[in-house]
Amino acid sequence: MWQRVVIIGVGLIGGSIARAIKKNALSRVVIGCGRDKEQLQLAQDLGVIDAFDQEIAHAVRAADLVIIAVPVGVMPAVFSALATVKDLHAVITDVGSVKGSVLAAAQAAFGALPPRFVAGHPIAGTEKSGVEASFADLFVNRCAILTPTAQTDPQALMAVAKLWRDLGAEVVEMEATHHDEVLAATSHLPHVLAYTLVDTLAKMDERREIFRFAAGGFRDFTRIASSDPTMWRDICIANREAIIAMIERYQEELETLKNNIARSAQADIEQQFTRAKQARDRFMKNFI
Ligand code: NAP
């Protein structure tokens, strides 16, 4: 059992981890840390955390586990604050959606990657933000990816892996670069497309009419465009190379489809849609 878990950023993900830790009695105490006192007070009132401390360096003293759950762009500042703490013996982990930039930020702040820092990313979430949207079962039957390096302390890695299993997740280890490429394709590109589609339609003159006649397909495709813009801005910038590569690949496919539509190439269009339908049907069968 952990003695003092400190969660920096008690939003959707940090709050859900806190709830799950409390639900499963994995720590004696759970402390929240963040910039907004009202939100932290709300988290305490909701029973998500036991107490809060807005001063990172103070909050993490005597912690045995520190979980960083702020937007990726805020991570460098959090690592810099942690690096000022003498005698910090805690295992440190994070939940950022990009791993290469987080490891680079930790290395820059500490001078070298701290052995007890285990970078992680739960493949779970919703389009909602903030502690009120958090729930304890968010990670049940989901994946948690860990991206250890040669410097990672095996015991710290084992401890973080156990935490995720205790929260109900399946743990997968991979290299940070590979993680960033995979997530650019499966998560970051879909968010970019959803934001772009909605923005394109919103800019069109007839937008009132367009949104009036938008039905289930539009809703399904664009749900994730309701996600937090700051978080996704940070993710796009932090994983820019892999995301640009995916956008270019997608542009090529879209260009091919456009040409096929222009020349009424029925067979080519149908072939592409059939391939996509079969791939999605297979995926959904395994997912459910
Ligand atoms: P969220 O609900 O918006 O929570 C973010 C938390 O970070 C809030 O507690 C916020 O506190 C705090 N924060 C924001 N800016 C800050 C700053 N400058 N200084 C200190 N604290 C700050 O976002 P989330 O969805 O939980 O995402 C958190 C992390 O999880 C991100 O790194 C994201 O990439 C990753 N992630 C998200 C998902 C998802 O689907 N949402 C899935 C997996 C991983 P305030 O009250 O002060 O704003």
Side-chain angles (χ1 to χ4, degrees):
M1 190 188 205
W2 301 97
Q3 294 303 305
R4 181 181 167 95
V5 174
V6 175
I7 300 184
I8 304 173
V10 190
L12 169 69
I13 301 294
S16 297
I17 295 174
R19 285 183 194 269
I21 286 177
K22 287 175 76 68
K23 182 179 171 186
N24 294 291
L26 302 176
S27 179
R28 204 173 54 77
V29 65
V30 178
I31 307 295
C33 185
R35 61 178 173 173
D36 186 336
K37 194 172 177 186
E38 272 179 29
Q39 285 299 308
L40 291 166
Q41 186 62 58
L42 174 65
Q44 187 176 336
D45 294 344
L46 290 170
V48 174
I49 51 175
D50 297 306
F52 63 87
D53 184 337
Q54 288 194 267
E55 181 71 37
I56 292 181
H58 189 256
V60 300
R61 276 195 201 124
D64 48 0
L65 176 64
V66 175
I67 301 171
I68 309 169
V70 295
V72 172
V74 183
M75 300 259 179
V78 171
F79 285 122
S80 295
L82 290 175
T84 65
V85 183
K86 283 200 183 111
D87 301 327
L88 177 61
H89 299 300
V91 169
I92 305 170
T93 189
D94 80 298
V95 298
S97 304
V98 183
K99 298 281 44 100
S101 69
V102 169
L103 286 169
Q107 174 140 14
F110 286 91
L113 274 176
R116 289 168 76 74
F117 172 55
V118 183
H121 177 207
I123 309 301
T126 73
E127 72 281 16
K128 303 208 171 71
S129 299
V131 69
E132 281 174 292
S134 65
F135 56 101
D137 289 342
L138 178 60
F139 311 107
V140 174
N141 296 329
R142 296 308 179 98
C143 248
I145 298 178
L146 302 181
T147 60
T149 68
Q151 285 79 45
T152 309
D153 171 1
Q155 284 194 335
L157 174 60
M158 264 169 47
V160 174
K162 180 176 182 322
L163 170 76
W164 283 112
R165 285 192 201 102
D166 288 344
L167 301 188
E170 181 196 343
V171 175
V172 177
E173 285 178 32
M174 64 175 74
E175 280 206 12
T177 319
H178 184 55
H179 166 279
D180 290 354
E181 284 167 2
V182 171
L183 270 292
T186 57
S187 169
H188 307 169
L189 180 67
H191 279 81
V192 166
L193 297 183
Y195 279 126
T196 314
L197 174 66
V198 178
D199 191 42
T200 305
L201 298 195
K203 280 186 194 153
M204 287 168 67
D205 286 341
E206 322 84 311
R207 64 181 172 275
R208 276 220 188 112
E209 195 177 51
I210 284 174
F211 285 116
R212 185 171 159 217
F213 294 117
F218 179 80
R219 260 172 188 263
D220 289 350
F221 189 80
T222 61
R223 176 184 60 81
I224 52 180
S226 292
S227 304
D228 182 56
T230 309
M231 187 175 105
W232 282 97
R233 175 204 65 191
D234 283 3
I235 291 170
C236 285
I237 291 170
N239 199 21
R240 67 171 79 81
E241 276 179 32
I243 292 175
I244 288 172
M246 279 314 302
I247 291 175
E248 286 173 352
R249 199 162 168 171
Y250 190 81
Q251 279 174 325
E252 279 172 28
E253 293 292 331
L254 204 55
E255 191 63 26
T256 305
L257 178 61
K258 188 181 98 181
N259 292 335
N260 288 340
I261 291 172
R263 56 189 183 86
S264 299
Q266 293 187 17
D268 291 335
I269 297 170
E270 193 175 330
Q271 233 175 45
Q272 183 181 10
F273 290 176
T274 303
R275 258 196 326 269
K277 175 180 162 39
Q278 286 170 347
R280 186 173 192 275
D281 289 350
R282 263 198 314 276
F283 165 74
M284 291 309 287
K285 215 157 119 195
N286 294 334
F287 191 70
I288 292 165

